[in-house]
Amino acid sequence: MVTRVGVEVSIALADAVKLANPDVIAAYPITPQTHIVEHLAELVANGELDAEYIPVESEHSAMSACLGSAAAGARTFTATASQGLALMNEVVYVAPPMRLPIVMAVANRSLSAPLSIWPDHSDMMSVRDTGWIQIIVENGQQAVDNTIIAFRIAEDAKVLLPVMVHLDGFTLTHVIEPIIFPTQEAVDKYLPKNRFPLPLNPDRPVAMGEFAPPFIFTETKWAQEVALNNSKKVILKAWDEFAKAFGRKYLPVEKYHSEGAKVLILTMGSSGETASVAIDELRKEGMDVGQIRLRLWRPFPFKELREAVKDADVLIVMDRAISFGGPGGPLASEVKAAFYNQAKRPKVVNFVISLGGRDTTVSGFKEIVNKGVDIAAKGSKNEYEIYGVKE
Amino acid sequence: MTKEKSLIEIRWHGRGGQGAVTTTEMLAQAAISEGKFAQAFPSFGPERRGAPVQAFNRIDSREPVRIRADITEPDYVVVLDPGLLEKVNVTSGLKKGGWVIVNTRKTAKEIQKEFKIKYPVATVNASKIAREVLGVPIVNTSMLGAVVRITGVIDKKSVHAPLEKRFGRLGERNIKAMETAFKQVAFEEQ
């Protein structure tokens, strides 16, 4: 039977991993990811989850262990955040070209210095170009659902790529909220067994992650790019079939009162629903405004984004990271690139918000929308605005 | 309160180690078990025993809770340690007609006068209840009873299961503390 309970999102995510029945979990605890891996360690120690839990000595080792485990054909999970993801970075790059279907939850948190344990998207942006599939969620239910979905996408024979599920630290990981858990039977039906095509096996030796001199290296990178772009079809199908089985539908670009609206805001992550409340209030006050939310960060959904903003004159993009010395937020950069060659395109206004865990409230989002419309009309000498910064 | 609004926001003020966070969890779990929508979360940060802390509940009987931010304009404020009244502006942002629920030996009138509080105040001697029922001055589950009574946001019986689950063999005593405070909390109908 489907159960609906009040549970901390980290614990719920770990229980979702359990439902996916992994073979190997290798992880190193770090705030705010800690409760996820603690609960998994507990489930393994209590005999409730039949998996190998490897308590490694660092995140670099965690991902290294995951490479080996996935290469042996084992269903593999890890989780990290912030400095942990940064320390892991070298090995994060290795999984995609080796086509290893690892699933990793990232409890998004800012990067030092100064030391901050609070959320923003600087860690997730630091791995943008590693070649992983990156899904980002905005509530606990989406975190649970997409953790299960991530295994199906990663292990699909047409994909064989690692998947990160990004959930903002604290704002999601440490909140108790209602979660609907699917049954084990339903998950087993949705998520087939991992059939990695060429597992490491002493009787049938294969070579992986080889040395690539200049005559072949470009081709390996092209193959990686094609594989990541081709994964989108499978991602869409996995979301579609999840909706059929469980009734909750995910899309690369999700729309909220966006059809026909002249002003749109684009959000990514846990601030999305707070922003939706602001949209409701602004619409009630008579403003023609809607929202789109990005669910898929890599591969970037260019086509869906262009379609979603086709009627808009102004697009206000919310970023939770800065590309220092660059054009502002990484999301706005991507969005601008998506529209540059289009005949009809909205004016893009970029706000960097909620760095290092500072809240952006409902009234904050309303202020941003009004300010954004103003900037679109009058122009600005700035490439972007940092909302609420004390100068 | 307008008919349309179904969201109730509660801000808890306590000290690290008093169990404010645990109590918000149990209140949310109880509301969710009734089919309602709820959030519980602490003021995120390093935890220090004895330092002033906040914890938050949002409970909505009709719609999913969508706001993710600290509660700055609560409907109810709960004060676990009366000493905080001197140190923290607990009524900051409290909505018009919002309640302050205080663990104290004093009366509502005394609290209102002493701390210049212009809101209705409900009082309960949770420290005494906790000492008598639990044998320790940990007031969180007693305060839970007062909060359930004053807010009326959930059925009192719904917190029994979360209390039992959380406290195991001490569940029964914590239920008694909750029930006692539910009965003893003093307030004037507004």
Side-chain angles (χ1 to χ4, degrees), chain A residues 8-327:
Chain A
E8 190 190 278
V9 171
S10 288
I11 305 299
L13 193 150
D15 283 333
V17 173
K18 176 178 179 259
L19 283 167
N21 196 16
D23 301 301
V24 174
I25 300 151
Y28 190 82
I30 181 169
T31 302
Q33 153 267 37
T34 319
H35 294 181
I36 299 172
V37 295
E38 271 178 4
H39 189 55
L40 281 167
E42 196 179 6
L43 290 170
V44 172
N46 290 348
E48 293 171 70
L49 171 57
D50 182 17
E52 195 70 39
Y53 187 97
I54 312 176
V56 286
E57 74 279 22
S58 77
E59 287 85 357
H60 193 280
S61 303
M63 186 49 66
S64 301
C66 287
L67 296 182
S69 155
R75 180 166 287 171
T76 304
F77 178 82
T78 187
T80 191
S82 184
Q83 308 307 121
L85 188 58
L87 181 60
M88 186 190 274
N89 187 280
E90 180 189 3
V91 203
V92 174
Y93 271 92
V94 177
M98 286 178 67
R99 309 293 296 272
L100 297 174
I102 299 157
V103 172
M104 172 157 68
V106 178
N108 289 341
R109 167 186 151 186
S110 51
L111 286 166
S112 286
L115 175 65
S116 159
I117 56 169
W118 292 273
D120 67 27
H121 293 167
S122 44
D123 57 355
M124 99 176 249
M125 292 305 159
S126 77
V127 290
R128 183 190 69 180
D129 296 336
T130 56
W132 284 58
I133 293 167
Q134 290 179 277
I135 294 169
I136 177 160
V137 301
E138 61 197 45
N139 61 41
Q141 188 67 55
Q142 294 182 359
V144 163
D145 292 349
N146 281 284
T147 298
I148 294 165
I149 293 165
F151 285 102
R152 172 158 162 163
I153 294 168
E155 294 167 1
D156 189 294
K158 293 196 191 79
V159 177
L160 296 176
L161 286 169
V163 180
M164 284 184 217
V165 178
H166 293 273
L167 68 162
D168 293 341
F170 289 115
T171 324
L172 289 185
T173 55
H174 284 54
V175 178
I176 281 96
E177 59 186 68
I179 301 287
I180 299 165
F181 286 101
T183 62
Q184 186 66 64
E185 294 70 38
V187 173
D188 290 345
K189 208 170 147 198
Y190 175 77
L191 181 60
K193 282 203 161 43
N194 182 16
R195 300 196 191 286
F196 189 64
L198 283 171
L200 292 179
N201 182 341
D203 299 330
R204 281 180 296 141
V206 290
M208 295 182 183
E210 282 254 34
F211 181 71
F215 86 91
I216 195 68
F217 188 80
T218 303
E219 286 66 30
T220 67
K221 291 297 115 178
W222 175 241
Q224 190 182 334
E225 167 74 345
V226 169
L228 184 56
N229 286 331
N230 285 348
S231 73
K232 200 164 112 200
K233 257 189 233 158
V234 177
I235 297 168
L236 295 179
K237 190 161 175 257
W239 275 337
D240 209 38
E241 290 191 8
F242 188 87
K244 280 183 204 141
F246 302 100
R248 290 180 296 278
K249 173 85 176 157
Y250 298 101
L251 290 166
V253 176
E254 293 173 5
K255 300 176 184 177
Y256 188 72
H257 296 306
S258 67
E259 294 291 340
K262 291 293 165 207
V263 177
L264 290 179
I265 65 166
L266 171 59
T267 58
M268 189 163 80
S270 64
S271 58
E273 293 182 315
T274 311
S276 298
V277 177
I279 294 298
D280 287 351
E281 291 186 7
L282 288 166
R283 290 179 69 84
K284 220 181 259 173
E285 292 163 17
M287 193 173 185
D288 186 14
V289 60
Q291 181 187 11
I292 50 177
R293 300 152 166 169
L294 203 76
R295 181 80 44 243
L296 187 63
W297 172 238
R298 281 293 185 272
F300 192 82
F302 290 100
K303 186 171 131 252
E304 290 83 354
L305 180 73
R306 288 177 188 133
E307 192 280 323
V309 304
K310 65 182 190 312
D311 300 324
D313 296 330
V314 178
L315 177 62
I316 304 165
V317 182
M318 313 289 172
D319 261 291
R320 292 191 73 172
I322 299 179
S323 171
F324 296 105

Side-chain angles (χ1 to χ4, degrees), chain A residues 4-8 117-118 138-140 170-172 174-179 256 270 273-274 276-277 280 284 359-362, chain B residues 4 21 24-25 28-29 31-47 65-72:
Chain A
R4 179 184 184 271
V5 292
V7 59
E8 190 190 278
I117 56 169
W118 292 273
E138 61 197 45
N139 61 41
F170 289 115
T171 324
L172 289 185
H174 284 54
V175 178
I176 281 96
E177 59 186 68
I179 301 287
Y256 188 72
S270 64
E273 293 182 315
T274 311
S276 298
V277 177
D280 287 351
K284 220 181 259 173
D359 281 340
T360 301
T361 59
V362 173
Chain B
E4 279 192 12
V21 176
T24 57
E25 284 181 29
Q29 284 167 343
I32 291 164
S33 75
E34 290 182 359
K36 292 177 171 132
F37 301 91
Q39 276 178 349
F41 57 101
S43 181
F44 308 120
E47 292 151 30
V65 179
R66 294 184 295 172
I67 299 175
R68 290 184 189 275
D70 287 359
I71 294 173
T72 51

